[in-house]
Structures are given as structure tokens and as C-alpha cells.
Amino acid sequence: MIRTVETKPYDDQKPGTSGLRKKVPVFQQPNYVENFIQSVFDSLEGFQGKELVIGGDGRYFNREVVQIAIAMAAANGFGSVIVGRGGILSTPAASNIIRKYNAFGGLVLSASHNPGGPHEDFGIKYNIGNGGPAPEKITDAIFARTKAIASYKIADIDAIDIDRIGEFDAGGMKVKIIDPVADYAELMESLFDFDAIRANFKYGFRMAFDAMHAVTGPYAKEILELRLGAPKGTARNFKPLPDFGGHHPDPNLVHAKHLYDEMMGPDAPDFGAASDGDGDRNLIIGKGIFVTPSDSLAILAANAHLAPGYAKGLKGIARSMPTSGAADRVAEKLGIGMYETPTGWKFFGNLLDAGMATICGEESAGTGSDHVREKDGLWAVLLWLNILAIRGESAKQIVEEHWATYGRNYYSRHDYEEVETARANALMDALRGKLGSLPGTSVGDLKIAAADDFQYDDPVDGSVSKNQGIRVMFEGGSRVVFRLSGTGTSGATLRVYIERYEPKDGNLGLETQSALADLIAAAETLAGIHAHTGRNKPTVIT
Ligand code: G16
């Protein structure tokens, strides 16, 4: 039986950089989940009888929302749903399933790298038929709908046993529970030289992969240990837990510090990597060297042809605006297109669909390609493993050789988390207000060449996205970028991105923060971070 339930709108269901992310108690308010899912369905057209993919990163509240989503999909007229066993699908795996089975779209349940648990974060994101996050046109429509919604539809059905692979009936709609790993592992095997990677492990190559008790655990176990023959124990913390073991499943130098310390130590394995809550981010650390996400993008792009899936070369590279320009130099050398998009993986979708870009990346630990329409943590790790196996050099050698060829983009991001929203907005407004007067002036020894608020004109569909981050560009190619995060769940997070280019014959071996010291000071002078936020130092430096 289908019930139509009366409801009242919530005014805070605006999707952010990557879907709706809130604290679990917010999602647990009466009808909060139902309102949002109904608003998603109400913003779509033509899904009657079609297939919907449902899966998440296994965090607290995942299983409950999977059941609600199944019952609502049945009531709203979907023909079938595909659900990962246990309600589990990593974000890239969900993207692959949508594409592979020609589903209409998917609901991806995750708050990414944010912590999980009864008082922590949860999220719901809608992905379209190309497997990628819904573009702004759709997320805007969803938000508009959440403000007007008066009722939702739900089927009165018993809970589906989502832990058993098979096909079930849900009020006339078919529910297919699938192995969350198999299709993804097969896709990876089609892209990379598994024989070469397997041989490398066989001859003693040692690696540590930290799944951070998040979704990539089962994927890493299957691919690294079972298919590639890496020794047991290569995948660590591989059991997904609803609270990620009480940690932030954020693969950065703060939350994966243990891995960093190990990789810098005397007994380090050859290669270290980690992924986040939903499996789309990656952390890459070679023995004795941390690889920044921006450098990793550039290095992967420069060497991708060593993997069978990319042997024909790349069509183009895309990166988010705050990501360093390291990949631009690779694109220039390869003679292929380079695209600069706003932060948010959704902006890459059009470029990938149009065949303009093959590889994309972001400073926020995201790298991916046209194999799916999400960034993909394990994909990046496997491409690294493929390159290491073919080149037979260490990660450190590969990185240093890259700098010696292209020069080095010293790069760092300083985050000020949980700043009072009004104060963060005031800082941005003040900066915006003086943009026009900055060019030609100097901060310390640095002369400002240009300053603007980044605007993206999508070359494929002509859509325009304004106010995507304030850029202050200095003579010589250095820059600082300021923007407010669109993924936080409490207060505002100010992100300051700092970059300086050092040519290949320059000093390539400096410590990053010292190499950027004058720019860090300039960022403070320009934005008055301390005065506005009351903070003396960033919460997180990556
Ligand atoms: C999401 C988006 C990324 C973005 C990142 C950080 O990643 O998919 O495109 O770079 O958030 O965004 P912000 O700077 O607005 O916080 P994830 O891994 O959180 O889904």
C-alpha cells in the first residue's frame, strides 16, 4: 500500500558542494529524510519504471535511510532499485553501477571524510544517469522543492533484508541486492596492468593501505590482497564501522598522521596510501615523501599512458581552481586541453561526458578519470601502483624527477574550521570589496598582478557559476585563494590556498611552509584573518 504523508518544509535543506550534509540528529527530525528524498524525486522527470541505485559508506544511520529510500522509490514509481549488500557502496562504485547498468540515477548516502556516529555527520546526494553528482540546475530545483513540499509518498512494506544478495519484491518494485565490490574490481582490472603490479608485490614491494574503518576496506582487501597478491595485512583498518572507530575518516596529514610517521620512518614500506569515508579521496605517501594531491594529479597525468586503460593518451586534464597549476604544465607539454573549474566534482561531469578531459583532480585529495563520474580513491592508488611497477623507481624518485622536468608548485591549504558564520562572511565580503583596488599594489615584497572572484563559464552547456573563490595573483605566478567550504556541518570553514611556482632549475627541496612563508603572511595582511576570526593559526594545514 502506498501512503501519502503530509509534511512541512524544513528551511535548511540546501545541497552544498556535494549533497546535503548535516548532523545525524538533524536528519533524525520527523520527515527530514523523507522530505529531502521526495524533493529529489519531485525534481526529476521520466523515472517511472526505471532503475535507481542506492548505497552509502556504512556510517551511522546508513541502514535506516536505505530502507526509507527503498520504500519511497517503490511508492514513487521506480521499476527497480539496486542496493549494495549491507547498504554499502563506495561513492565511485555507486557511480560505476549507475553507468554500467544504465540506471536512471542514484542516491549516495555519505558525509565523506566527516566523522560518523549518533552525533556526527550524515549526508544524502543525488547522482544523475551519467553516474556523477547532480549539476547545480538540479540541486537548485531540489532546494526550491524542499521549501515548498507538503507531502511525500512511501510504500508500507516490511524492511528488506539488505544483507542477503538476491532479488526481492518491495510493493511491486524489484529490489536487487548486489555484491558492492565485484563490478568495481572488474572495472579496475580492465584499466590497470594487474600482472605488472602483481609481479611487483611478488618480488617484495611493500605497501600500507589504511581504509580508516571506512568503505574502501572490502574493496582494498579484494583488489590489493586477493587479486593483486599483496601480503595479508596490506589493507589495514579494513572493517567498515558506523563510527569509523571514533576517528575522522579523512586521509590527510592530521587524521592519517600515523601513516605519515610510519612512511617517514626507517622501516617504512615502499608505498603508503589511504582513502576516506566513502572511498573517493586518496592520500599518497611514498617512502620518505608526501605527495600533495595537486602534484599527484600532475604526476598521474604525465604517466597515465603506462596503464593499459590510458595507453592511447589523455584528451585533456581538468582541475578545480584552487588546485595548483602543476597539472597545467603537463597538459601544456602533452599539447592537450586544460580546464579550470570551481570546487566540486560535479563541475567535471560535462567535460568528461563531452570527451574534453580524461583525468581530473582537486587539491582536496580527489583524483579520477572518465571511467566513472566521481573521484576515486582506490583508482588513484592503483594508477600509482601501476606506474611504480612499470617504471621500477621509488615514488620519491618519480616525484623528484617530475619537479626536475616541470618545476615545482609549492602548495599548501590552511583551514580555519568552525568559524562563526557571520565572521567568516564578513571576512569574505571585506576582501571582495577591495578586489578592484588591489592590482598594482604590494604586500611586503609581493606585487599584486590581478585579483578577482572566480567565475566559471562551462564550455559545454554555457552555464555560469559566480563567486567561486577569491584569487589574488602576484607577479611571478604565485597566488593565494580564499573561499568558504561548502561541505562543513557546523559554522563556516575558511580555506586559504597558497601556491608558489619554482622553476626546474630553482630550489626544489625546500620545506613547504617555509617556501610559502611570505605568501602566508600576505594572506593574513590581505584578509585580516586574525582580526575577523579571532584565530592565530589554522586548524588544519595540508
Ligand atoms: C567534496 C567535493 C569536492 C570538493 C570537496 C571540498 O568532496 O566532491 O569536489 O573539493 O568536497 O569541498 P569544500 O572545499 O567546499 O569543502 P567530498 O570528498 O567531501 O565529497
Side-chain angles (χ1 to χ4, degrees), residues 119-431:
H119 301 288
E120 300 296 354
D121 293 9
F122 189 75
I124 306 179
K125 181 171 71 159
Y126 178 70
N127 281 28
I128 58 175
N130 74 352
E136 278 187 332
K137 197 171 58 195
I138 295 181
T139 54
D140 287 348
I142 294 170
F143 181 45
R145 185 66 195 146
T146 62
K147 291 189 283 191
I149 189 165
S151 66
Y152 63 85
K153 281 196 248 171
I154 190 158
D156 262 330
I157 48 168
D158 290 337
I160 302 289
D161 180 359
I162 56 173
D163 295 311
R164 210 153 40 98
I165 286 176
E167 294 196 359
F168 305 92
D169 174 76
M173 180 189 75
K174 194 183 276 180
V175 180
K176 304 176 192 168
I177 309 292
I178 62 159
D179 175 345
V181 176
D183 295 285
Y184 179 83
E186 193 182 291
L187 175 64
M188 292 301 113
E189 212 155 348
S190 75
L191 296 173
F192 300 116
D193 190 342
F194 270 38
D195 288 341
I197 303 174
R198 205 177 289 120
N200 216 19
F201 279 124
K202 196 166 161 208
Y203 293 117
F205 181 87
R206 285 198 304 137
M207 148 176 208
F209 178 84
D210 190 346
M212 304 188 91
H213 288 302
V215 80
T216 47
Y219 296 85
K221 266 263 159 209
E222 169 70 27
I223 297 172
L224 298 175
E225 296 186 10
L226 298 180
R227 300 200 184 201
L228 290 169
K232 208 160 175 239
T234 297
R236 303 172 178 180
N237 301 321
F238 57 85
K239 196 172 178 320
L241 298 174
D243 67 348
F244 308 115
H247 301 292
H248 285 231
D250 191 349
N252 64 19
L253 297 184
V254 174
H255 298 295
K257 187 166 182 307
H258 49 280
L259 182 64
Y260 176 82
D261 290 345
E262 183 180 344
M263 293 306 299
M264 298 304 134
D267 200 24
D270 298 294
F271 190 63
S275 190
D276 70 331
D278 61 331
D280 57 2
R281 296 186 175 206
N282 69 85
L283 170 71
I284 302 291
I285 313 178
K287 191 180 195 159
I289 192 163
F290 161 65
V291 189
T292 67
S294 295
D295 274 350
S296 181
L297 169 67
I299 293 165
L300 292 180
N303 292 279
H305 60 278
L306 301 176
Y310 306 93
K312 288 197 191 118
L314 309 178
K315 294 171 187 150
I317 307 173
R319 64 163 171 85
S320 66
M321 179 276 284
T323 304
S324 97
D328 302 30
R329 299 173 196 282
V330 176
E332 196 183 346
K333 187 160 179 200
L334 293 174
I336 56 177
M338 178 74 223
Y339 305 92
E340 189 178 32
T341 62
T343 293
W345 203 263
K346 58 184 176 237
F347 291 102
F348 294 134
N350 278 347
L351 297 168
L352 294 167
D353 284 351
M356 294 163 78
T358 306
I359 281 190
C360 309
E362 293 188 279
E363 49 66 40
S364 57
T367 337
S369 87
D370 57 1
H371 68 293
V372 288
R373 293 295 180 274
E374 290 278 6
K375 55 190 188 278
D376 189 342
L378 262 175
W379 170 91
V381 172
L382 290 166
L383 181 49
W384 264 100
L385 288 176
N386 192 143
I387 293 165
L388 289 164
I390 299 293
R391 286 186 52 165
E393 292 164 283
S394 71
K396 191 163 196 278
Q397 283 170 315
I398 290 176
V399 172
E400 288 174 353
E401 202 210 280
H402 188 90
W403 293 337
T405 309
Y406 296 93
R408 176 173 180 187
N409 290 68
Y410 283 101
Y411 186 84
S412 184
R413 187 177 95 187
H414 290 196
D415 290 339
Y416 298 79
E417 293 175 344
E418 294 189 38
V419 174
E420 219 179 286
T421 307
R423 297 179 87 170
N425 285 334
L427 179 151
M428 293 299 284
D429 289 345
L431 254 179

Side-chain angles (χ1 to χ4, degrees), residues 2 38 41-42 44-52 72-80 104 153 173:
I2 293 171
Q38 188 65 51
F41 293 163
D42 288 349
L44 307 174
E45 272 171 23
F47 60 77
Q48 299 298 320
K50 303 258 171 70
E51 194 153 69
L52 181 73
M72 290 187 67
N76 279 273
F78 277 95
S80 55
F104 185 85
K153 281 196 248 171
M173 180 189 75

Side-chain angles (χ1 to χ4, degrees), residues 490-507:
S490 43
T493 294
L494 169 69
R495 300 206 196 283
V496 184
Y497 311 82
I498 307 131
E499 176 178 4
R500 169 160 92 75
Y501 176 65
E502 182 79 17
K504 62 181 179 183
D505 47 6
N507 199 341

